[in-house]
Amino acid sequence: MFRNPKSLFIIVACICFAIAVLTVAGILSIGSKIDWTDLGLFFGFLSFIV
């Protein structure tokens, strides 16, 4: 399952979206300048391209 790059990108995208939801909800506070939603969208679109 994890040997396929497509499934790996989908898992990374889900993790990025989960981090985005947790930071917006105030449960998780990360002091970085990364927009986790955009990063999740990037990996999501990358999984469809690969």
Side-chain angles (χ1 to χ4, degrees), residues 3-27:
R3 294 180 185 172
N4 187 1
K6 185 179 231 179
S7 65
L8 184 65
F9 287 141
I10 291 173
I11 290 170
V12 171
C14 290
I15 290 170
C16 290
F17 283 128
I19 292 172
V21 167
L22 291 175
T23 54
V24 169
I27 297 170

Side-chain angles (χ1 to χ4, degrees), residues 19-41:
I19 292 172
V21 167
L22 291 175
T23 54
V24 169
I27 297 170
L28 184 68
S29 70
I30 299 175
S32 64
K33 301 281 184 189
I34 298 173
D35 190 3
W36 292 100
T37 307
D38 290 341
L39 193 62
L41 286 173

